[in-house]
Amino acid sequence: MKHFTHTSISLLLLLITMATLLGCGADKNLKKGEKYLAIGEYYDAATQFKQAYTKTSTKEKAKRGDIALKIAYCNERINSTQKAQAAYANAIRYGRATAADRLSYARQLLRNGSYKQAGEQFAIVLDSINAGDYPTPTKKGNTNTLDANTAKTLAQNGLIAAQKAPEWKKQGSRYKVKRMDVFNSRRDDYSPVLAGDQYETLYFTSTRNDAQGNELSGITGAKPADIFMSEKDDKGNWSKPEAVTGGLNTDYDEGACALSPDQHTMYLTQCTSDPSYPRYAQIVTSARANAAWGKPSELKITGDTLSSYAHPAVSPDGMWLYFVSDMPGGMGGMDIWRARITPAGLGGVENLGAPINTPGNEMFPTFRPNGDLYFSSDGHPGMGGLDIFIASVGKDGKYHLEHPGYPLNSQGDDFGMTFEGVHNRGFFSSSRNDGRGWDHIYSFENPEIIQSVKGWVYEQDGYELPSALVYLVGSDGTNEKLSVKGDGSFEKVLKPGTDYIFLATCKGFLNHKEELSIGHPDDSNEHVLQFPLASITAPVLIDNIFYDFDKATLRPESQASLDELVKLLNENPNVTIELSSHCDYKGSAEYNKLLSQRRAESVVEYLSNKGISRDRLSPVGYGKEKPKTIRKKLTEKYNWLKENDVLTEEFIKKLDKDKQDICNQLNRRTEFIVLRTTYGMFDKDGNLKKSNNETTKKSSSSNENGKKNEDFDFYVE
């Protein structure tokens, strides 16, 4: 029998005591970790589990392996890929990893770009499933939550990704990607959204230190996310990002925002906190008033309060809200859903189904103005993490998917696209090349050949008309109604080999039509169209009308303006107008009146010779009886004039000589005002005439050979 000295016995007791204390400490950390995990605070949970792992003896392999799985799961949820990967490797080393855990490990390897190792692990998972050794799913909150069929689909797609990703990276694509440090911080910066009539504002989500609130999030270990914005100046330089003011941001998490087509409503994700209850993301809305975003209010999508609703996106026509949710009825993980937007609220909710959704996670939907849906997925074969996919609707009415390849996609998370109008350029977010898993904002551009139109609708001698509508018809069957932005502009991608007609309309103004024929060019081209609308209630200047000196004879250079008036009258066949000619105060009143009358009649004669019925035209010579009244737009050119100034003889003679000459020139003008808008609409008995189609307006266009195309119908509501 071996004898122990007093010192050795004391040392042994000390070691036993320390082991006991460490074991107790580990259990205490485990308990805290489970509490944090239950309410979704993955960062805090991972911290506690890591401490428990450190305090657990290496001889307790099973316990260390089980704790490692918890560490892996928590880090996986917060995109800390390298830590999750290392923890899964420890669990496998200690013999505690199931096939389901290996599947998660393989997906982490894929996110890290370790394609060969990932392929080996996916193969092991598939062998286990085929042998019937895949575990039965356990309750939510643990890692093993997938059934065998779901796991098999994910493993098969993962194996395809591991095999193809190196080749995709080698092949590359036409995309050009650049990290935008002007927007980025040392924390998460993601989900950019371009806004403004000229895309001069960028909203995005950030957990940087400037975010609101004083506490760090137990979910991510960073500040709760806020919405930030940056603005571009006239030279194309972006400003330092600042948090959006006006009540939009709170001490909670706000992020992944989207705008309605009129940019008056913001949809965004919000996660509130509760110390004893799981957090479920919800979608809230904020209204913009006086250039400021108001306090968010909850948007009720369904009555389900135990599911998350996040990542809103509005379809280009403003009719559908797309979002992400894990509610029952999906295909697994997070799915993309949509709900119809109505004046009374959201309509029925529907899952987009296959081929978009998979047993994995489909997230961050967004739209390109042409209607293509962009989203991110870790369920489809990709390069690792979330990959961006493009879903376009084919002639069969079904979605068809495209993987845009590298470098738009990488082994990290790639998501949150935003487009600069119709062009295939803009910004997105990615966690590539960041060992801590933080997301950052990148620019992208794909120099594809695009034919597009940009139009401007405005008062003929005034400002833009944001309330206007533009009806578009094409020889390919296109028939659409386009909304106009705040600056009176609109944009649309056009199809090569197609003839188009555009009809601009606005209440209180005459219609204006433009035609455009698109060939098959080799380069991108943006066609610019102008739509100056003539007022129904105010006099409209006919610019660039010239007469021989002291005569009523029209000069040849007047033809272009008069031909535009002919076009306008043909586009508005139910309108009659008064054509008026005006002179300055020089000369006798009687002589000026006679001269102006003859000049007005000369214009009528020209219009009549061009096919406009004389009974639609009333020539009047006012001489100097009606001096010009200044409208606001003209004060921008002549800042010494004020709106509603009347250029009377008395007013003009108080001015300097140069200014007198300008005012006299402004008074010498030819104008028209609309008298009636019902010409030819009634029969001799005063009854409204019946047309073949009372809801359409017919127009026709000519191609380059002068041949008439078939009539296009404008369906005007």
Side-chain angles (χ1 to χ4, degrees):
M1 183 175 178
K2 192 171 182 179
H3 297 280
F4 294 96
T5 65
H6 176 73
T7 303
S8 62
I9 291 174
S10 298
L11 181 60
L12 179 61
L13 288 173
L14 179 62
L15 292 173
I16 293 172
T17 302
M18 289 178 64
T20 303
L21 289 173
L22 285 172
C24 292
D27 291 339
K28 187 176 181 180
N29 291 127
L30 279 172
K31 205 168 185 180
K32 284 185 177 180
E34 294 290 358
K35 181 181 177 181
Y36 288 130
L37 180 59
I39 60 174
E41 294 189 344
Y42 302 111
Y43 179 84
D44 286 347
T47 301
Q48 294 298 324
F49 291 143
K50 177 65 175 176
Q51 291 180 19
Y53 182 86
T54 304
K55 294 175 182 178
T56 301
S57 171
T58 55
K59 294 180 180 179
E60 297 184 75
K61 295 183 178 181
K63 187 174 182 179
R64 280 174 70 90
D66 290 342
I67 297 173
L69 287 177
K70 297 179 185 295
I71 296 171
Y73 176 70
C74 291
N75 281 295
E76 182 178 356
R77 295 304 298 266
I78 60 176
N79 297 327
S80 188
T81 302
Q82 293 183 359
K83 291 181 180 179
Q85 179 183 317
Y88 276 124
N90 284 335
I92 292 172
R93 181 163 57 89
Y94 283 120
R96 301 300 292 176
T98 65
D101 299 322
R102 282 187 179 272
L103 175 58
S104 296
Y105 177 48
R107 286 161 69 84
Q108 293 302 301
L109 288 168
L110 204 62
R111 289 171 60 95
N112 199 45
S114 303
Y115 297 125
K116 183 178 180 180
Q117 289 176 270
E120 293 170 354
Q121 293 299 321
F122 283 126
I124 292 173
V125 173
L126 288 171
D127 289 342
S128 177
I129 295 173
N130 293 333
D133 296 334
Y134 193 83
T136 302
T138 59
K139 66 180 180 179
K140 191 173 182 179
N142 294 322
T143 54
N144 303 335
T145 59
L146 304 177
D147 60 66
N149 289 332
T150 298
K152 185 174 183 178
T153 299
L154 292 176
Q156 288 173 335
N157 286 347
L159 183 58
I160 294 172
Q163 294 168 344
K164 289 189 174 182
E167 184 60 28
W168 286 336
K169 190 170 184 178
K170 183 179 179 181
Q171 288 177 349
S173 69
R174 289 170 57 87
Y175 280 92
K176 298 177 181 178
V177 169
K178 179 183 178 182
R179 178 166 163 151
M180 297 296 293
D181 288 333
V182 65
F183 303 131
N184 295 318
S185 66
R186 295 183 178 181
R187 294 292 185 267
D188 274 325
D189 302 287
Y190 60 95
S191 290
V193 174
L194 280 165
D197 294 330
Q198 301 302 315
Y199 312 102
E200 71 279 6
T201 301
L202 186 76
Y203 296 102
F204 64 93
T205 306
S206 181
T207 62
R208 64 186 61 198
N209 292 333
D210 295 333
Q212 194 166 313
N214 297 317
E215 297 183 1
L216 298 181
S217 168
I219 303 174
T220 63
K223 281 280 198 77
D226 277 348
I227 305 296
F228 283 73
M229 66 176 290
S230 175
E231 293 184 303
K232 185 167 60 174
D233 62 22
D234 294 339
K235 297 180 180 179
N237 299 316
W238 290 94
S239 66
K240 179 182 177 181
E242 296 182 355
V244 175
T245 58
L248 178 68
N249 292 314
T250 69
D251 289 345
Y252 302 128
D253 276 295
E254 283 87 26
C257 67
L259 298 175
S260 59
D262 63 6
Q263 301 190 32
H264 291 164
T265 302
M266 179 182 288
Y267 297 81
L268 62 153
T269 308
Q270 187 180 74
C271 296
T272 57
S273 62
D274 190 303
S276 59
Y277 197 74
R279 294 92 183 279
Y280 298 102
Q282 61 182 355
I283 293 175
V284 297
T285 62
S286 172
R288 188 176 65 177
N290 299 323
W293 292 104
K295 184 178 179 181
S297 57
E298 182 180 358
L299 179 67
K300 191 172 181 62
I301 298 178
T302 73
D304 181 357
T305 60
L306 298 178
S307 299
S308 291
Y309 303 87
H311 307 167
V314 182
S315 60
D317 59 10
M319 295 177 63
W320 294 92
L321 175 70
Y322 286 67
F323 61 94
V324 168
S325 180
D326 58 355
M327 62 179 156
M331 297 182 65
M334 302 295 286
D335 275 12
I336 298 177
W337 303 68
R338 71 174 187 173
R340 186 176 289 277
I341 300 173
T342 72
L346 296 180
V349 174
E350 58 186 62
N351 187 288
L352 293 194
I356 290 177
N357 290 320
T358 70
N361 295 299
E362 280 67 50
M363 309 168 79
F364 298 99
T366 190
F367 283 93
R368 191 173 170 188
N370 67 0
D372 286 349
L373 172 65
Y374 285 66
F375 67 97
S376 293
S377 171
D378 64 6
H380 292 285
M383 298 188 68
L386 291 171
D387 266 30
I388 294 169
F389 290 84
I390 307 169
S392 56
V393 179
K395 293 182 179 180
D396 56 2
K398 298 179 180 179
Y399 280 114
H400 297 267
L401 298 189
E402 175 191 350
H403 184 274
Y406 179 85
L408 189 64
N409 286 311
S410 67
Q411 75 263 21
D413 287 335
D414 304 292
F415 61 97
M417 306 280 285
T418 186
F419 294 88
E420 187 182 324
V422 300
H423 306 285
N424 199 350
R425 62 174 181 256
F427 303 100
F428 73 110
S429 35
S430 177
S431 64
R432 66 186 68 188
N433 302 325
D434 192 299
R436 298 160 298 178
W438 300 119
D439 302 310
H440 302 293
I441 295 174
Y442 290 76
S443 67
F444 74 89
E445 181 176 7
N446 184 348
E448 62 185 7
I449 297 176
I450 296 178
Q451 298 301 303
S452 64
V453 62
K454 184 161 190 174
W456 304 85
V457 188
Y458 52 93
E459 301 172 72
Q460 188 153 314
D461 54 351
Y463 294 95
E464 62 274 356
L465 293 170
S467 59
L469 289 173
V470 177
Y471 294 87
L472 166 65
V473 293
S475 58
D476 63 341
T478 300
N479 196 317
E480 297 182 24
K481 181 172 64 175
L482 308 177
S483 297
V484 171
K485 300 177 187 176
D487 65 347
S489 69
F490 67 89
E491 291 178 287
K492 177 69 180 176
V493 173
L494 305 176
K495 296 180 182 178
T498 306
D499 298 325
Y500 292 95
I501 296 176
F502 301 82
L503 182 73
T505 67
C506 188
K507 187 176 180 180
F509 294 84
L510 300 181
N511 298 333
H512 183 92
K513 185 181 73 175
E514 290 290 339
E515 300 181 16
L516 191 60
S517 184
I518 305 299
H520 295 274
D522 296 327
D523 298 312
S524 295
N525 191 17
E526 182 180 75
H527 305 268
V528 177
L529 298 178
Q530 304 288 339
F531 295 85
L533 302 192
S535 173
I536 292 176
T537 59
V540 179
L541 177 68
I542 309 174
D543 210 359
N544 297 321
I545 300 298
F546 304 100
Y547 305 90
D548 287 338
F549 177 71
D550 205 26
K551 295 181 181 178
T553 308
L554 285 165
R555 294 181 61 83
E557 52 265 40
S558 304
Q559 181 176 343
S561 292
L562 290 176
D563 286 345
E564 284 297 315
L565 181 56
V566 171
K567 182 172 177 250
L568 177 68
L569 291 169
N570 283 328
E571 291 166 0
N572 298 271
N574 302 119
V575 166
T576 64
I577 63 172
E578 175 191 278
L579 272 160
S580 59
S581 181
H582 304 263
C583 299
D584 56 33
Y585 63 79
K586 299 176 181 178
S588 69
E590 182 180 1
Y591 179 82
N592 281 339
K593 191 173 180 66
L594 289 172
L595 178 61
S596 61
Q597 179 67 34
R598 287 165 44 220
R599 286 181 169 180
E601 290 172 353
S602 293
V603 175
V604 168
E605 182 70 21
Y606 184 92
L607 299 178
S608 177
N609 290 336
K610 291 289 185 175
I612 305 300
S613 298
R614 279 186 176 269
D615 55 356
R616 296 178 62 193
L617 310 170
S618 300
V620 179
Y622 285 103
K624 61 180 180 180
E625 292 176 7
K626 289 190 174 184
K628 186 176 181 66
T629 299
I630 299 301
R631 297 185 65 186
K632 185 178 180 181
K633 184 69 174 178
L634 202 56
T635 64
E636 295 179 5
K637 184 175 182 180
Y638 306 111
N639 57 15
W640 42 273
L641 289 172
K642 297 179 181 177
E643 185 179 10
N644 296 322
D645 279 347
V646 181
L647 304 185
T648 62
E649 182 176 355
E650 180 184 7
F651 177 90
I652 294 174
K653 286 185 173 180
K654 293 178 181 179
L655 302 174
D656 297 338
K657 179 65 170 62
D658 291 344
K659 293 177 181 177
Q660 288 184 21
D661 291 342
I662 292 172
C663 289
N664 284 325
Q665 184 180 359
L666 291 174
N667 270 333
R668 297 190 297 268
R669 68 198 189 278
T670 302
E671 294 176 335
F672 74 84
I673 59 171
V674 175
L675 299 177
R676 292 169 53 203
T677 58
T678 57
Y679 174 82
M681 293 177 64
F682 299 91
D683 61 22
K684 62 181 180 179
D685 298 321
N687 298 316
L688 185 66
K689 292 180 180 179
K690 293 184 178 180
S691 61
N692 293 331
N693 189 339
E694 294 180 353
T695 61
T696 64
K697 293 183 178 182
K698 292 281 191 176
S699 295
S700 61
S701 66
S702 300
N703 59 26
E704 293 177 356
N705 297 322
K707 296 180 181 179
K708 289 288 184 181
N709 295 318
E710 61 177 319
D711 286 349
F712 299 156
D713 291 341
F714 288 106
Y715 292 87
V716 182
E717 297 177 354

